[in-house]
Amino acid sequence: MTNNYIYFIANWKMFGFKNAVNHLNKVITLCKTKKYSKAKIVYCPPYTILSDLCRKIKKTKIDIGAQNCHEANDFGASTGSINSKMIKDAGAKYVILGHSENRSSGESSYLINKKIKSALSEKLKIIFCIGENLEQRKKKQTIKILKNQILKGLKNVKNIKNIFFAYEPIWSIGTGRILEIKQLERDIYLLNKFIVNKYKSNDIKILYGGSVNPKNINDLKNVKLINGFLIGKASQNQNKLIDIIKKTFN
Ligand code: PGA
């Protein structure tokens, strides 16, 4: 892990009522201890409880993110949508964009690019998801797919300071299956190399996502060039999230 912080991005997906704020209590306590001072936790709840969580984490080091946003950063006639200005207004600092669950329901790289630009203009930090499906992996197209998603998603984006590259093999999300660690390390190495060459930056943040849990974290935490994790299912259970954080720092 090259970066200062280790990031734990909790993607709650379509889960959580208002009382989910209480699920943060133990994590808030954990974050206060010196041992975990380098753990940066970002909760990404559904829109409906974004403000509740923002209020809850005030005066802590925890941050809040949204799970998507509309591509326009102005108000408009778009039923059911939320733009990056509104996300910021709610108190969130991050937004997840390009998640495969949204790509699979029709979100194109062109649209993701517009969303990224809109969110950047509001100074939000972007959890930019990229990843291959199983067929593409079998055909050894992984790196080509990742490069293509990056080039299209970040078209005309020059500064990647606020971009977190979240590598999530699609076939690994929610399945309990992860890549063999050596293979993952190699893919991350190639991904990092491409980003370094393309953006001439030393400040590159790469996250891994896909079935991160308390059982596999001891292996995953040793993968070089990873700055943290995008965690779905396991992050909805505060004891599991705490277990993941503790094991990462052990
Ligand atoms: P998972 O989800 O941890 O449940 O696999 C990760 C994600 O979709 O971001």
Side-chain angles (χ1 to χ4, degrees):
M1 308 245 180
T2 54
N3 223 34
N4 218 1
Y5 277 115
I6 301 180
Y7 293 83
F8 299 88
I9 315 293
N11 177 9
W12 279 5
K13 307 192 180 189
M14 198 169 65
F15 291 92
F17 288 128
K18 273 181 159 182
N19 65 6
V21 293
N22 300 323
H23 289 233
L24 272 60
N25 293 341
K26 287 191 204 163
V27 178
I28 290 174
T29 307
L30 184 86
C31 287
K32 287 184 187 147
T33 53
K34 197 159 175 257
K35 183 163 186 196
Y36 304 105
S37 62
K38 290 293 176 196
K40 169 57 85 182
I41 298 156
V42 182
Y43 281 99
C44 300
Y47 293 135
T48 46
I49 54 172
L50 209 48
S51 295
D52 298 276
L53 261 72
C54 286
R55 267 193 298 278
K56 177 80 178 177
I57 55 87
K58 256 193 180 151
K59 297 187 187 142
T60 75
K61 294 186 304 127
I62 296 172
D63 279 325
I64 302 296
Q67 296 175 16
N68 204 347
C69 73
H70 193 270
E71 67 273 21
N73 58 351
D74 257 323
F75 297 119
S78 186
T79 306
S81 301
I82 308 257
N83 66 25
S84 40
K85 270 196 176 71
M86 296 152 103
I87 288 169
K88 201 169 171 197
D89 183 57
K93 293 189 179 153
Y94 289 73
V95 59
I96 298 173
L97 292 173
H99 194 284
S100 62
E101 284 155 13
N102 295 324
R103 289 184 193 259
S104 70
S105 50
E107 197 176 75
S108 66
S109 281
Y110 175 76
L111 192 61
I112 293 164
N113 177 246
K114 287 178 118 182
K115 292 182 176 195
I116 288 177
K117 286 180 187 156
S118 165
L120 284 177
S121 73
E122 293 301 324
K123 304 214 163 25
L124 291 171
K125 294 184 199 300
I126 320 284
I127 310 296
F128 174 34
C129 300
I130 50 175
E132 83 290 357
N133 64 31
L134 196 54
E135 199 186 328
Q136 291 159 339
R137 169 149 297 271
K138 282 183 182 156
K139 288 187 183 156
K140 303 199 185 313
Q141 294 172 337
T142 299
I143 298 301
K144 188 177 124 199
I145 297 291
L146 299 184
K147 285 181 183 173
N148 189 39
Q149 287 174 341
I150 291 172
L151 291 175
K152 287 186 175 159
L154 296 185
K155 192 168 178 212
N156 295 328
V157 173
K158 303 234 153 32
N159 190 342
I160 58 161
K161 189 167 81 59
N162 283 338
I163 307 281
F164 290 68
F165 295 87
Y167 171 49
E168 297 202 297
I170 298 170
W171 51 272
S172 184
I173 295 173
T175 61
R177 292 169 56 204
I178 60 165
L179 266 170
E180 203 248 311
I181 294 297
K182 282 269 160 280
Q183 183 63 53
L184 177 60
E185 198 156 77
R186 174 143 187 83
D187 291 344
I188 297 282
Y189 166 79
L190 293 173
L191 175 62
N192 179 75
K193 193 171 156 200
F194 171 72
I195 301 168
V196 169
N197 286 338
K198 170 81 188 144
Y199 297 98
K200 314 279 178 243
S201 167
N202 303 320
D203 184 19
I204 290 165
K205 293 165 289 290
I206 297 180
L207 310 174
Y208 168 78
S211 293
V212 177
N213 64 40
K215 285 192 188 131
N216 57 29
I217 192 66
N218 280 333
D219 291 330
L220 289 170
K221 73 175 188 188
N222 292 321
V223 176
K224 292 186 193 79
L225 300 171
I226 283 184
N227 303 99
F229 306 97
L230 177 52
I231 311 163
K233 194 158 190 283
S235 76
Q236 292 154 17
N237 175 318
Q238 70 169 336
N239 292 328
K240 284 192 180 165
L241 183 61
I242 287 174
D243 208 5
I244 290 171
I245 298 167
K246 283 187 170 171
K247 285 180 174 161
T248 304
F249 284 89
N250 260 344

